[in-house]
Amino acid sequence: MGLFSELKLAVPWGHIAAKAWGSQKGSPILCLHGWLDNANSFDRLIPLLPRDFYYVAMDFGGHGLSSHYSPGLPYYYQNFVGEIRRVSAALKWDRFSIMGHSFGGTVGGMFSCMFPEMVDKLILLDSSPFVLDSNELENLLTYKRKVIEHTLLVEQAAQEPPRALSPEEMLQRLLKNNSHVGEECGELLLQRGATQVPAGLVLNRDRRIAWVSAAALLPSRACRPLLWRNVHSRVFILFIHFQSTPSISSARSCVHTPSRSCRPTCCSSKQLEDFLT
């Protein structure tokens, strides 16, 4: 399946970049990448999937080719959820499916809770969006205070100028920090995730993101059980665990619906097609 187009969707702080495969007449699927990744995460997966869908892979704000958030606007989890609503509005999608990898699955899961009437099916790749923890409620105020304090520290640290690295050094650093990613996949991510400057390569993503862990952006676990029950009764969900990144033929999956227990099974592109249709 060839690349259909590069998209640039206007938002108040700039634009959200995305890439699309397939015909716009097909059923829409929004693809959400993982933490510190970009839309190229899906380049090797989409060609293996059914051709009668319209796949749009977006770069979250501060990632890939999307604009960075304005100074003073932190990368809160809620903002990423809001980006999905902005993208769906720009594309005039009233109902669509979501396929999210890792952190993208968590964001997609929260969006499904907030707007269940808009989500047809939710596909999670190496992602589990909700964890039960009843003790977290006592720490809610402390958690929110730490998020604010951490944001201020991150903004101060990110004021240093970005450091340019040679292509090889940039690739090796990426592979070292992501042991599950192979060299070919690393080069694919850097195609969209870095820019060539005279001194070498500079990462495209906002440096404030590099100082924030994905866990720091997640909402307090105290609010997740209720949200999980909301989405559980309305949205069909497919869980997939990749043994290597990313090849649908090496995945383990289970379909989790209100009437079906969650049992890992071998997943093929045909099974995923059956789930989507």
Side-chain angles (χ1 to χ4, degrees):
M1 185 184 302
L3 177 64
F4 178 81
S5 63
E6 286 278 352
L7 308 178
K8 184 179 288 188
L9 310 174
V11 291
W13 61 91
H15 69 271
I16 292 177
K19 56 195 306 185
W21 294 260
S23 170
Q24 296 185 42
K25 297 180 181 179
S27 299
I29 299 179
L30 184 63
C31 305
L32 308 175
H33 63 77
W35 184 244
L36 303 184
D37 289 340
N38 55 62
N40 275 14
S41 297
F42 295 94
D43 274 17
R44 295 177 61 188
L45 176 60
I46 299 300
L48 302 176
L49 301 183
R51 295 177 178 270
D52 49 349
F53 291 88
Y54 183 49
Y55 303 92
V56 174
M58 60 178 283
D59 292 324
F60 282 126
H63 293 75
L65 302 181
S66 288
S67 298
H68 297 178
Y69 283 8
S70 302
L73 178 62
Y75 287 94
Y76 282 152
Y77 176 85
Q78 181 72 20
N79 293 337
F80 290 117
V81 178
E83 287 185 25
I84 299 179
R85 188 66 186 89
R86 293 178 185 274
V87 168
S88 63
L91 297 175
K92 296 180 172 58
W93 288 355
D94 295 324
R95 189 170 179 85
F96 56 97
S97 295
I98 293 177
M99 178 163 57
H101 172 242
S102 190
F103 181 72
T106 305
V107 176
M110 182 62 74
F111 180 87
S112 300
C113 293
M114 295 179 175
F115 302 93
E117 75 283 358
M118 297 187 67
V119 180
D120 183 20
K121 295 174 182 177
L122 175 63
I123 304 168
L124 305 177
L125 313 178
D126 280 332
S127 177
S128 178
F130 307 103
V131 179
L132 302 178
D133 189 349
S134 59
N135 296 325
E136 189 70 16
L137 184 59
E138 300 177 4
N139 301 321
L140 183 59
L141 294 179
T142 301
Y143 168 85
K144 290 184 175 295
R145 171 173 174 164
K146 287 183 177 180
V147 167
I148 294 174
E149 293 175 341
H150 186 66
T151 297
L152 298 178
L153 291 175
V154 166
E155 289 182 349
Q156 182 179 3
Q159 291 177 358
E160 300 176 5
R163 178 187 175 191
L165 301 174
S166 68
E168 179 61 26
E169 187 177 2
M170 180 76 75
L171 176 61
Q172 293 305 316
R173 177 168 295 193
L174 185 150
L175 297 179
K176 180 180 179 181
N177 294 332
N178 301 272
S179 59
H180 61 286
V181 176
E183 184 170 333
E184 182 180 353
C185 290
E187 293 175 347
L188 190 63
L189 289 173
L190 289 178
Q191 287 177 11
R192 195 177 185 89
T195 297
Q196 182 73 50
V197 297
L201 288 180
V202 173
L203 290 175
N204 289 341
R205 67 170 179 254
D206 194 327
R207 297 183 69 246
R208 288 176 290 171
I209 296 178
W211 287 83
V212 181
S213 67
L217 294 178
L218 294 178
S220 171
R221 288 192 295 261
C223 67
R224 298 186 206 174
L226 177 59
L227 293 171
W228 169 251
R229 286 195 293 271
N230 288 343
V231 69
H232 179 70
S233 62
R234 293 179 174 88
V235 182
F236 288 92
I237 303 175
L238 174 67
F239 294 88
I240 297 177
H241 169 64
F242 283 124
Q243 297 173 348
S244 59
T245 304
S247 172
I248 197 70
S249 61
S250 64
R252 287 165 56 84
S253 70
C254 61
V255 178
H256 200 163
T257 71
S259 61
R260 192 181 248 170
S261 61
C262 184
R263 298 187 297 274
T265 60
C266 178
C267 180
S268 65
S269 56
K270 180 61 168 61
Q271 288 173 298
L272 182 53
E273 178 179 4
D274 292 342
F275 175 78
L276 289 172
T277 56

